[in-house]
Amino acid sequence: NLEVSAMITEGGDYEVCYGFKSEVWYHYASSKVSVAEVTGVSASFIYNHETNTMSFTGHLISASSTTADRAMLSENSACTMPVSTADVSAGVATFSDVSTMAAELFVCYKFAAKEDFSYTGKRLEVVTVALNAVEPARVFAGEEVVFSFNVVGASADSDLISVGTDCTTAEKVAVG
């Protein structure tokens, strides 16, 4: 009885063959190996203390909304220090409770058929924003107000500020 182990480093569907000095190959058409792999994550950073949504691409990433796949943001590549976990539905995960002191997080993934999370090779920078001061806090209409922010982990070149009764619909003004 001969046992051979192999590590397949790329996602895909593989056929099983056995050969004798490359002269005769036995092809086992009914035996295939499917290797799952995350090849892409839509996010390049994570907002600390916010809800973060990202999509996953790769082999065996399900487009179904009924998959039992899960994603995790971890403080280490061993996927043993979880910060937040989320179900993956149609290739999309929404992390609603991201809160960390780490400067970067490791993206881990668990396919439905697996018991443990695996590191995807993707790391995301953590962006933390804090409002330090509003000076002055009360002004008359038409007077200038200065907002002081502490931004860690990102460039302010493409950031916006929104001040209004509703930040979602208020006018956005470039910071940089």
Side-chain angles (χ1 to χ4, degrees):
N1 195 9
L2 176 65
E3 288 186 14
V4 178
S5 63
M7 181 180 296
I8 302 171
T9 58
E10 293 184 17
D13 294 316
Y14 297 90
E15 295 182 347
V16 179
C17 302
Y18 187 90
F20 294 96
K21 294 188 180 182
S22 299
E23 293 176 16
V24 176
W25 285 97
Y26 291 90
H27 177 228
Y28 300 94
S30 62
S31 295
K32 295 188 187 284
V33 176
S34 293
V35 178
E37 180 184 28
V38 174
T39 56
V41 177
S42 64
S44 56
F45 49 84
I46 291 291
Y47 290 112
N48 207 3
H49 309 294
E50 293 292 335
T51 297
N52 292 266
T53 300
M54 64 186 72
S55 2
F56 293 88
T57 54
H59 191 68
L60 297 179
I61 300 288
S62 178
S64 167
S65 60
T66 59
T67 182
D69 290 0
R70 307 237 330 131
M72 177 202 306
L73 301 173
S74 175
E75 290 186 354
N76 65 9
S77 62
C79 302
T80 58
M81 297 178 66
V83 171
S84 183
T85 58
D87 293 330
V88 178
S89 179
V92 175
T94 300
F95 298 92
S96 59
D97 55 349
V98 177
S99 181
T100 183
M101 296 296 290
E104 68 179 0
L105 293 176
F106 298 83
V107 180
C108 305
Y109 200 93
K110 184 181 85 60
F111 290 93
K114 299 290 281 179
E115 194 170 306
D116 297 320
F117 283 91
S118 297
Y119 174 50
T120 63
K122 313 294 182 197
R123 294 186 305 195
L124 303 176
E125 186 176 17
V126 177
V127 177
T128 303
V129 179
L131 176 61
N132 294 334
V134 177
E135 293 293 330
R138 289 186 165 175
V139 296
F140 283 102
E143 290 183 340
E144 188 173 289
V145 178
V146 176
F147 301 92
S148 173
F149 293 93
N150 183 23
V151 181
V152 177
S155 167
D157 293 342
S158 61
D159 292 348
L160 304 173
I161 184 173
S162 174
V163 178
T165 55
D166 175 6
C167 287
T168 306
T169 59
E171 178 185 2
K172 311 301 187 274
V173 179
V175 173

